[in-house]
Amino acid sequence: MTTSLIGARVPRKEDYRFLTGAGQYTDDVALAGQTYAAFVRSPHAHANIRRVSTDKAKRAPGVIAVYTGADLAAAKVGGLPCGWLITDVKGQPMKEPPYPVLAQGKVRHVGERVAVVVAESAAQARDAAELVEVDYQPLPAVASAAKARSSGAIHEIAPDNVCYVWALGDKSAVDAAFAKAAHVTKLEFVNNRLIPNAIEPRAVNAVYSRADDSTTLYVASQNPHVERLLMTAFVLGLPENKVRVVAPDVGGGFGSKIYLYAEDVACTWAARQLARPVKWTADRSEAFLSDAHGRDHLTVAELALDKDGKFLAMRVRTTANLGAYLSTFASCIPTILYATLLAGQYTTPVIYCEVTAVFTNTTPVDAYRGAGRPEATYVVERLVETAAREMKVEPAELRRKNFIRQFPYQTPVALCYDTGNYEATLEAAMKIADVAGFKDRREQSLRRGKLRGLGYACYIEACGIAPSNVAGSLGARAGLYEAGEVRVHPTGTVTVFTGSHAHGQGHETTFAQVVADRLGLGMEQVDIVHGDTSKILFGMGTYGSRSIAVGGTAIVKALDKVIAKGKKIAAHLLEASEGDIEYDKGVFKVAGTDKKKTFGEVAFAAYVPHNYPLDKLEPGLNENAFYDPTNFTFPAGSYVCEVEVDRETGATQIVGFTAVDDFGRVINPMIVEGQVHGGLAQGIGQALTEGCAYDDTGQLITGSLADYCIPRANDLPLFKLDMRETPCTHNPLGVKGCGEAGAIGAPAAVMNAITDALGVKDVPMPATAQNVWRAMHRA
Amino acid sequence: MHAFQYHRPTSSKEAIGLAGQKAEGRYLAGGQSLVQAMKLRLSSPSDLIDLGTIKELAGVKVSGSAVEIGAMTRHAEVAASAEVKRAIPSLAAMAGMIGDRQVRHMGTIGGSLANNDPAADYPAAVLALNATVTTNKRKIGADQYFKGLYETALEPSELITAVSFQVPKRGAYMKFKNPASRFALVGVFVADFGSGNVRVGVTGAGPSAFRQTEMEKALSAKFAPEAVAAIKVKPDGLNNDLHASPEYRAHLITVMCKRAVEQALK
Amino acid sequence: MSVRVSMKVNGKPVSADIEERTLLVSFIRENLRLTGTHVGCDTAQCGACTVHLNGKAIKSCSIVAMQAEGADILTIEAVAHPDGTLHPMQAAFKENHGLQCGFCTPGMVMNALDFASSHPNPSEQEVRESLEGNLCRCTGYHNIVKSIMAGARAMAAAK
C-alpha cells in the first residue's frame, strides 16, 4: 500500500466553511413557520410540585402552546432511558428511577424542566415562560456525594440514594497483599465535578411533515443514530423509519452531546403536536444547569509496595455522584470505564475497586472527555508519585520498576493490553522536558520568589469500547460497532458515509486521507459525509476516542470490498483472471504486464455496464461494512508538567508541559496534535481552574462563565509534543485513538507538579490560587 | 431581556430631561454591564436612554494638575491616550486591564462609575487619584461618591458628565483577577502625590471600593514596599465567595499594595 | 414595540424594523441571516459573537442593535476576498490548524484582525493577552496563538 497520505499534515477540508462563516450549526437552521421553545425550569433542588398553572402564559403574546408534565404523561411519552445496566455486588440490577422529560409531581435538581412554552419568537417564549406559575413545596436537598446516603430519598426506588454498589477485583487477595506490604501509600481526594462547556450550546430544531408523517430533528449531537434509536424505541414510540436525525456542524461535544436530552424529546413531540418547526437553543446559563456534568468522585485509594518499590496491590473505594437522574451512559462511567483502568501502565498484580454510585439533587453526571479514565489515571498517578516521594525514590524510577514490558498483558482488572512501550514515551518525555535541568530551574525560580515543581503522569486509556458481545455481557444495551459506506460515483470520485460524527475532530480530512491513500485518489476526489440518519446506513457515533479505530476501520473494510469488486471488473475489462489483477495508486493492472485500467475507468464500467460480466456481477460500485472490534485499543503516554507557584498569592503558572503519546499509527499528525492540545487544556482546566460548586441547598454556584473558569489563552503554555508509535495489533490501520489522552493524563501531572513545588501531600483540585495559598499555609 | 423603550438623545440636556420623565428608565453608556444584566433579566428598565451619540460627553482633557475624562470615553481610548499616558501612566495602564479588548472598545468610565460594581477597576483609581466626579448638577469628591454595593451618591436621573483625576507624582495599579470573570478579585491602586500624601484605593475586596488608610499612613511615612509588607489587613466585612474568602482577600490587599508600590517605583 | 434601525453591514446599507430589545448579534443572525457570527454565552466571556463596529472588535451580544445605528459593521462573512480567497489571517488559521469545531473561530478571527492591525509582529505573550475576551474549548489555544502570530506577520507583509 502506498503511504503518501498516511502520516501527512494535510490541511483540513472543513476549515474553509468555518473560516468564512459558512458553517451550518443547528441554531443556524431556520425553517419556514419556525417557532421557538423556552423551558420553565425548577429554581429548587428538591421540591414537590403542588400545581402548575399555565393560563397566564397561554394568553401571552405570540404563545402557541404550553405543555407540562401532565400533557406528556397523558400522551404516554416515556422517560429517558439509560444505556448501560450495572449489576451490583449482590447480583441485583442497579436502581433505575424514571427520568421524565417534563417533571411529574416532583423536581430533583435546579434546572429540571417543568414546562415548555412554544411561541412565535424566542423572546416571546421566554417572556411567557415567566408567566407559568408553579407551586413548589421545597424539600431538603443534598448535593454532595459524601452526604447522599444519609439524606432523604430523592427517588422512591432508592431509599438510601444508592443506585448501586459495584466492585471489581479480588478483595481477599488484595487485603492479603496489603497485610504484608513494606509500605502503604494512602490518599483521599475528590475528583472535581466539571461542566463540559462546548462553546456551541446545545440546540434542537424539530420539524414534522404531514405529507409523509415524518419527523426531522436537527440537533447538536455526537451520535445522531443513537439519538434516533433511543427517542423512537424508548421515549416517543415513533417508527424509526419516520424519524430523521441530522447533526449538522456541531460546535464541540466533549461527551456532553452524546446523550438523549429531555429538551430534544420535548421539542420533537411539540413539533408533531403543532405541525410547525420548534427550535430551542440553550443559553449558557441553561447549559450549566442542563448539560450532563462530568467526574465528581470521592475516593480513598491505597497502594501497597514491597521494600524495593514493587507494587503489590491497589485498593480503591469511590463514591460517584450520578446527579438526580441516570443520564444515557452515566452508570458505566464510574465502573466499566474507571475501575478497569486502575492497572495503569504497571504490573500491580492484584487490584480491588469498589464503587458506590449515589443520587443527589444535582444535574445528572455522565461522560465528559476521558470519562472514567481521567479519574482512574488520577488515582494511579497520584498514588505512584506520592509513594515515590514517601519512599524517597525518583518518581520516574519507581514507574520504570513497575512498567508492563511484555505484551499482550492481562491486567487484574479485566483488560488485555495488546501493545505498548511505556519506557519509550517516558524516556522521550523526560528528555524533551529536560528533567535533568530541573534542579537548576528550581533554584532560579526560588531566587524570583517562586516555588517550582515537576510532576509526571504516565497514563493508559482504553478506547473504542468493544467487542459488542463482551460489552453486552457487562450491561451495555447497545452495540459498539461502527458502519461505513463507500459510494464510488460513475466518474470515479468517491463519497464516504460514516457513522462516526465529527464536531471538531476533522474526520472530513483524516478519513479522506485514509480513503484517498487506499484508493490512490486525490484528496479532492473524496468527500466524507456524516451526521444524517437519512444518508448514513447506521452509526454509533463519536465518543471514547473511537472514531478512527472503529469508524475508520469500517471504512477500510468497505474500501477493501470496493477494491475486490473493482478487480473483478478490471479482470473482465482486461481479459485477465481476477487473481492476476493488482491494485496500486488508482490503477488496476495485470501483474507483470502493462495492461491496466484506471479506477475511474473501472467505476465507469460498473455504472455503464456495456462491457461487463452481468451474469456474474451486479453493476455499480458501492460497498458498506460494519466493524465490531475484537478488543479495546490502548493509547498510552507520559506527561511531564512543570509549574511555578507564586509564594505570596498561590497563583500557579504552567511553565512547561511535555506530552509524549503513543496513539499507534497516526494518520494526520497536525490534527492529532490539535486533539492533544485541546485535551491538555481541559485536563489543565480540571487541575487549575474548573470546579463545579453547589451550595448545601443544591443551588449551583458556578452557573455562568463569570464564575466557572474554563482556561483562557493566558492560562496555558505552548505545549511540547512528541509521539511514539506501537501500532495497534488488531485493526488494519494500526490506530488507537487520540481524542481524550490530554484530558486523561494532564490533571495528575499538574497536581504532582504542584504538590512537588509546595512539598505537600495533596492539594484539592482545582488548584486555584486560593486553594494553593491555603495548602501552603496548612503546610 | 424584557421589553423597553429606546431613546437616543443628542445632548446631555435632552438625556437628563428624558431621564426625569422615566422613573424606571436607565442611562445606557457602553452597555457592557447593563445589557448583560438585562439579558439575564436581572435588570428590567422601562426605558433606555442611549448616551452613545452625545459628543460633548467624550474626550480627554489634561490641565497641569488634573486629567479630565469625559463620561462616555471608552476604556480603550483612555488606555491608548497619549495625554493620559504622559500625565498618569498608571491610569492608562489600569484602563488597559479592564475586561478584555472587545469590552474596552465599548465600556465607558461613566458607565463603570455609575454602576459601581464592587469588582470594577475604575473605583480604585478614583479613590487613589482623589478624583472628582462631575455631574450635570454638581461635583462629587471621590470620598463622597461610593456609598455601598452598587450604590453611589448619584441621585435619580443625575448624569455623570466627566471625571477629573489628580495627577500624582507616581502611582500604579495591581490587579489580582477573578480567573473566570476577569474582574478584580482584589485590585489596589497606589498614588503618591509627594509631601507625604499617599492614597490607596482598593477594589474587589469589599462591597464597594474603599481607601486603605493604614497603608496610606505607612506609605506616607515611607513610600516603599516594605512599609506595607507586614500590614495584616483585617478580613472583617470583606467579600466572601467561591473564589476568595475574606482572609484570602485581606492577604491579597497587602500583596497587591506592596507590588503596586514596587511598580510605582520602577 | 418596533423601531427602525439602519446601519452598514459588510459594506451594504441595511435597515429593518426590529423590537427595541434586539441585540446586535440577533439582528445580524436573524434579520440579516448572517449566521457566521455565533453566540456561545450570555455573560460576555466567550467572544464568539465578535464583530467590528467602526473598525473595532466588539461583542455583538453585549449591545442592542440600536446602539449600532449608523455604524459600519463587519462580520466574518465579508473577511475573505470577494473571489473567495481567504484573507491572510484566515489562511494562517487554516495553515496552523487554529480551529477545530469552528464555533469560536469567527470571533477569534474578527478579534485577531483588529488586534493585528495595530500589532504587526506580536509576541506570543501579546497574542495570549489579546485573547482575554475569546474562549476556545477545542484547541488549547496553542495553534490559535501560532495562527495569529503568523497572520499578523502576513498582514503586515501584504501592506
Side-chain angles (χ1 to χ4, degrees):
Chain A
M1 189 173 86
T2 163
T3 55
S4 59
L5 281 168
I6 302 297
R9 307 177 81 88
V10 179
R12 298 200 320 168
K13 285 162 96 71
E14 42 277 84
D15 286 355
Y16 187 83
R17 69 176 186 271
F18 294 140
L19 282 163
T20 55
Q24 275 283 300
Y25 300 87
T26 299
D27 189 59
D28 301 339
V29 175
L31 302 167
Q34 187 72 61
T35 71
Y36 301 83
F39 287 87
V40 177
R41 295 179 183 276
S42 171
H44 299 284
H46 200 189
N48 287 321
I49 298 174
R50 291 198 190 100
R51 200 174 61 89
V52 182
S53 169
T54 59
D55 299 354
K56 276 189 204 162
K58 280 178 175 158
R59 291 195 301 269
V63 170
I64 299 160
V66 183
Y67 301 113
T68 67
D71 297 308
L72 294 197
K76 300 208 174 353
V77 173
L80 303 179
C82 180
W84 202 297
L85 175 71
I86 293 295
T87 301
D88 77 4
V89 283
K90 293 179 185 149
Q92 296 300 308
M94 66 184 187
K95 304 285 171 54
E96 269 188 278
Y99 186 175
V101 171
L102 296 178
Q104 302 289 333
K106 199 178 179 194
V107 285
R108 296 178 176 85
H109 68 90
V110 172
E112 184 168 353
R113 297 139 297 265
V114 176
V116 59
V117 177
V118 182
E120 297 290 345
S121 81
Q124 286 172 329
R126 185 73 65 91
D127 290 346
E130 289 180 350
L131 301 175
V132 173
E133 293 165 325
V134 187
D135 183 5
Y136 294 103
Q137 176 193 28
L139 298 167
V142 61
S144 90
K147 293 181 190 159
R149 295 183 82 156
S150 54
S151 301
I154 295 167
H155 297 282
E156 269 177 38
I157 191 180
D160 56 356
N161 291 326
V162 173
C163 178
Y164 56 75
V165 178
W166 175 92
L168 181 66
D170 184 341
K171 183 170 187 300
S172 55
V174 167
D175 290 344
F178 268 88
K180 60 173 198 205
H183 183 86
V184 172
T185 292
K186 182 173 179 180
L187 283 168
E188 185 170 347
F189 45 70
V190 169
N191 199 285
N192 43 328
R193 179 186 277 235
L194 303 175
I195 305 179
N197 276 305
I199 304 293
E200 181 207 21
R202 285 193 294 119
V204 189
N205 196 354
V207 55
Y208 172 68
S209 165
R210 279 185 175 148
D212 58 359
D213 188 32
S214 72
T215 306
T216 300
L217 175 66
Y218 299 88
V219 57
S221 170
Q222 299 178 217
N223 47 355
H225 282 89
V226 176
E227 169 115 12
R228 181 177 70 169
L229 176 63
L230 295 176
M231 177 132 58
T232 55
F234 298 99
V235 187
L236 288 177
L238 299 170
E240 205 171 349
N241 56 315
K242 290 292 190 188
V243 177
R244 173 187 176 204
V245 175
V246 183
D249 287 327
V250 173
F254 318 113
S256 69
K257 293 170 183 166
I258 296 172
Y259 325 114
L260 177 63
Y261 282 98
E263 291 88 353
D264 308 359
V265 175
C267 290
T268 305
W269 183 80
R272 290 178 58 84
Q273 307 309 303
L274 302 170
R276 285 183 66 182
V278 177
K279 182 193 274 194
W280 169 78
T281 300
D283 58 30
R284 183 57 56 188
S285 304
E286 283 185 290
F288 271 98
L289 294 173
S290 69
D291 291 5
H293 294 176
R295 321 279 193 260
D296 205 347
H297 287 191
L298 176 63
T299 293
V300 180
E302 299 165 281
L303 179 66
L305 303 94
D306 73 10
K307 64 178 179 10
D308 300 322
K310 279 295 268 186
F311 302 162
L312 300 175
M314 187 182 289
R315 190 160 55 198
V316 179
R317 278 202 166 73
T318 291
T319 305
N321 192 340
L322 297 176
Y325 296 100
L326 278 170
S327 175
T328 311
F329 289 109
S331 50
C332 71
I333 310 303
T335 48
I336 308 296
L337 292 179
Y338 170 63
T340 54
L341 275 299
L342 288 170
Q345 300 188 351
Y346 311 108
T347 56
T348 316
V350 283
I351 296 170
Y352 177 73
C353 177
E354 189 178 287
V355 179
T356 304
V358 295
F359 295 111
T360 60
N361 295 110
T362 61
T363 296
V365 177
D366 207 321
Y368 165 62
R369 201 170 194 166
R373 293 152 293 174
E375 296 92 313
T377 297
Y378 196 74
V379 167
V380 175
E381 290 303 290
R382 288 286 296 118
L383 277 176
V384 170
E385 193 98 356
T386 307
R389 289 175 193 164
E390 287 174 350
M391 296 180 79
K392 307 205 183 320
V393 185
E394 279 296 312
E397 269 323 297
L398 189 68
R399 287 178 168 87
R400 286 194 171 107
K401 188 170 285 193
N402 290 283
F403 273 157
I404 295 162
R405 291 168 193 277
Q406 299 289 318
F407 295 90
Y409 178 83
Q410 177 62 50
T411 72
V413 276
L415 298 179
C416 184
Y417 302 165
D418 64 333
T419 181
N421 184 348
Y422 308 140
E423 178 69 39
T425 53
L426 178 60
E427 191 188 335
M430 290 176 73
K431 204 165 162 190
I432 295 165
D434 185 24
V435 171
F438 173 70
K439 275 198 178 125
D440 287 345
R441 295 194 293 278
R442 178 174 245 172
E443 290 302 315
Q444 288 162 19
S445 296
L446 212 50
R447 283 197 285 275
R448 290 185 283 108
K450 301 279 176 87
L451 299 171
R452 202 176 186 104
L454 183 141
Y456 297 90
C458 297
Y459 76 89
I460 183 121
E461 62 168 318
C463 299
I465 310 173
S468 290
N469 52 357
V470 173
S473 73
L474 294 171
R477 286 164 167 166
L480 290 155
Y481 48 82
E482 196 48 270
E485 177 181 352
V486 177
R487 187 177 303 168
V488 182
H489 303 293
T491 53
T493 59
V494 175
T495 304
V496 174
F497 300 85
T498 174
S500 298
H501 185 274
H503 27 281
Q505 296 91 338
H507 294 168
E508 291 167 42
T509 304
T510 302
F511 287 8
Q513 283 177 254
V514 169
V515 174
D517 182 83
R518 203 119 178 148
L519 293 181
L521 302 177
M523 284 291 285
E524 72 290 349
Q525 292 170 286
V526 180
D527 270 316
I528 305 294
V529 174
H530 61 88
D532 185 340
T533 60
S534 73
K535 294 179 180 168
I536 290 141
L537 70 163
F538 201 74
M540 294 307 297
T542 288
Y543 42 83
S545 305
R546 69 195 297 273
S547 289
I548 191 67
V550 191
T553 301
I555 293 171
V556 168
K557 286 185 67 182
L559 288 171
D560 289 346
K561 292 183 189 174
V562 165
I563 293 170
K565 184 168 179 183
K567 282 182 178 172
K568 289 193 171 82
I569 300 168
H572 174 87
L573 295 174
L574 295 166
E575 296 174 337
S577 90
E578 189 192 328
D580 290 338
I581 304 292
E582 291 172 346
Y583 185 69
D584 185 34
K585 294 192 179 77
V587 178
F588 293 92
K589 266 192 286 205
V590 181
T593 74
D594 59 358
K595 287 168 67 181
K596 61 187 176 186
K597 287 284 174 191
T598 64
F599 183 77
E601 287 170 322
V602 168
F604 194 77
Y607 286 95
V608 187
H610 297 166
N611 176 16
Y612 196 87
L614 285 168
D615 52 335
K616 287 179 283 193
L617 210 54
E618 292 171 10
L621 197 50
N622 188 63
E623 299 288 348
N624 67 51
F626 284 69
Y627 172 66
D628 201 290
T630 55
N631 192 0
F632 287 85
T633 63
F634 297 98
S638 292
Y639 293 175
V640 181
C641 175
E642 219 168 300
V643 297
E644 263 191 355
V645 178
D646 183 327
R647 296 176 83 165
E648 291 184 317
T649 64
T652 300
Q653 188 76 27
I654 309 267
V655 291
F657 202 108
T658 302
V660 181
D661 294 287
D662 176 357
F663 298 130
R665 198 144 280 146
V666 168
I667 310 294
N668 186 327
M670 178 191 84
I671 287 175
V672 169
E673 287 163 10
Q675 291 296 304
V676 176
H677 296 153
L680 291 176
Q682 289 179 6
I684 291 169
Q686 169 162 32
L688 287 186
T689 69
E690 296 182 43
C692 169
Y694 282 93
D695 72 11
D696 288 342
T697 68
Q699 291 293 331
L700 179 63
I701 301 173
T702 50
S704 84
L705 288 171
D707 281 310
Y708 185 92
C709 178
I710 73 176
R712 282 181 173 76
N714 220 1
D715 298 325
L716 298 169
L718 282 177
F719 305 108
K720 292 179 212 155
L721 265 49
D722 202 0
M723 287 169 209
R724 293 290 178 273
E725 285 191 11
T726 61
C728 175
T729 59
H730 54 80
N731 64 48
L733 292 167
V735 292
K736 296 180 181 177
C738 65
E740 296 162 294
I744 291 170
V750 175
M751 297 313 294
N752 284 338
I754 293 176
T755 49
D756 179 48
L758 268 51
V760 300
K761 191 169 176 182
D762 195 30
V763 175
M765 292 195 289
T768 60
Q770 173 170 252
N771 281 345
V772 171
W773 179 76
R774 282 178 174 158
M776 281 194 286
H777 286 264
R778 260 201 310 274
Chain B
M1 185 178 296
H2 289 113
F4 58 85
Q5 280 209 319
Y6 175 86
H7 310 271
R8 189 185 298 118
T10 52
S11 70
S12 305
K13 203 177 154 200
E14 190 189 344
I16 295 154
L18 275 165
Q21 296 159 25
K22 311 285 181 189
E24 299 299 315
R26 292 281 301 269
Y27 291 121
L28 175 64
Q32 302 302 282
S33 295
L34 181 55
V35 173
Q36 295 307 328
M38 290 172 65
K39 272 162 61 182
L40 298 172
R41 300 191 170 214
L42 301 171
S43 174
S44 302
S46 62
D47 294 79
L48 282 188
I49 301 159
D50 188 353
L51 308 174
T53 52
I54 304 176
K55 292 214 167 61
E56 69 213 46
L57 289 176
V60 172
K61 274 181 252 166
V62 178
S63 68
S65 59
V67 172
E68 187 182 271
I69 300 175
M72 284 299 290
T73 313
R74 317 279 169 180
H75 306 320
E77 290 163 7
V78 176
S81 161
E83 290 165 290
V84 179
K85 279 186 190 167
R86 229 183 349 259
I88 318 180
S90 52
L91 182 63
M94 185 231 75
M97 290 183 217
I98 299 171
D100 52 57
R101 299 185 76 248
Q102 294 98 312
V103 166
R104 291 194 290 273
H105 284 143
M106 284 305 295
T108 66
I109 183 170
S112 171
L113 290 176
N115 187 44
N116 192 25
D117 188 298
D121 300 292
Y122 261 122
V126 165
L127 287 171
L129 296 169
N130 198 18
T132 302
V133 178
T134 305
T135 74
N136 59 309
K137 292 183 176 165
R138 55 184 168 148
K139 290 186 187 299
I140 310 171
D143 293 332
Q144 283 74 50
Y145 181 78
F146 302 104
K147 295 293 183 195
L149 185 69
Y150 293 104
E151 271 186 57
T152 69
L154 294 175
E155 290 163 5
S157 86
E158 189 172 5
L159 178 68
I160 300 176
T161 54
V163 184
S164 180
F165 295 89
Q166 293 186 11
V167 176
K169 202 169 105 192
R170 56 197 167 189
Y173 179 61
M174 276 290 153
K175 176 178 183 179
F176 195 85
K177 289 178 185 177
N178 172 324
S181 73
R182 258 43 182 181
F183 274 85
L185 208 55
V186 168
V188 178
F189 205 120
V190 172
D192 178 10
F193 291 91
S195 352
N197 179 13
V198 175
R199 291 172 67 102
V200 177
V202 178
T203 190
S208 178
F210 58 88
R211 284 171 64 190
Q212 224 298 337
T213 47
E214 194 183 355
M215 291 178 174
E216 289 183 350
K217 220 176 283 170
L219 291 168
S220 295
K222 187 187 180 196
F223 193 78
E226 58 272 21
V228 290
I231 292 177
K232 288 225 181 306
V233 176
K234 284 205 183 70
D236 310 349
L238 296 186
N239 295 339
N240 187 14
D241 58 34
L242 180 73
H243 303 284
S245 65
E247 291 74 21
Y248 185 53
R249 280 192 161 90
H251 169 75
L252 286 178
I253 292 172
T254 303
V255 177
M256 291 299 113
C257 184
K258 189 185 76 164
R259 291 181 182 182
V261 174
E262 282 167 5
Q263 178 69 25
L265 288 169
K266 265 184 196 161
Chain C
M1 305 328 96
S2 91
V3 284
R4 187 90 182 153
V5 67
S6 304
M7 63 188 87
K8 215 188 237 182
V9 175
N10 298 334
K12 276 184 285 196
V14 295
S15 62
D17 293 319
I18 57 170
E19 256 200 299
E20 287 152 308
R21 60 174 157 169
T22 307
L23 294 169
L24 178 61
V25 69
S26 314
F27 178 70
I28 292 169
R29 285 181 55 78
E30 281 159 41
N31 291 74
L32 305 181
R33 296 299 308 153
L34 293 169
T35 55
T37 302
H38 297 149
V39 178
C41 79
D42 47 13
T43 50
Q45 262 80 34
C46 84
C49 64
T50 301
V51 301
H52 289 190
L53 181 143
N54 297 330
K56 302 272 185 216
I58 61 129
K59 292 179 176 172
S60 63
C61 78
S62 297
I63 67 172
V64 292
M66 294 302 288
Q67 283 174 277
E69 172 71 24
D72 225 325
I73 301 291
L74 179 71
T75 72
I76 189 70
E77 282 88 352
V79 170
H81 192 273
D83 72 3
T85 310
L86 294 178
H87 182 282
M89 184 60 78
Q90 292 170 312
F93 269 76
K94 177 167 178 162
E95 281 154 23
N96 291 281
H97 188 31
L99 64 153
Q100 290 183 24
C101 81
F103 197 80
C104 77
T105 308
M108 289 283 176
V109 170
M110 297 313 291
N111 184 42
L113 283 173
D114 176 27
F115 168 74
S117 67
S118 56
H119 294 79
N121 189 20
S123 68
E124 181 202 333
Q125 191 52 36
E126 286 174 316
V127 172
R128 287 187 186 275
E129 282 166 15
S130 80
L131 292 173
E132 189 144 28
N134 292 80
L135 293 173
C136 170
R137 198 60 161 158
C138 292
T139 65
Y141 307 97
H142 185 105
N143 286 339
I144 292 178
V145 171
K146 286 168 74 178
S147 301
I148 296 174
M149 291 172 75
R153 286 194 299 269
M155 279 168 64
K159 265 191 187 154

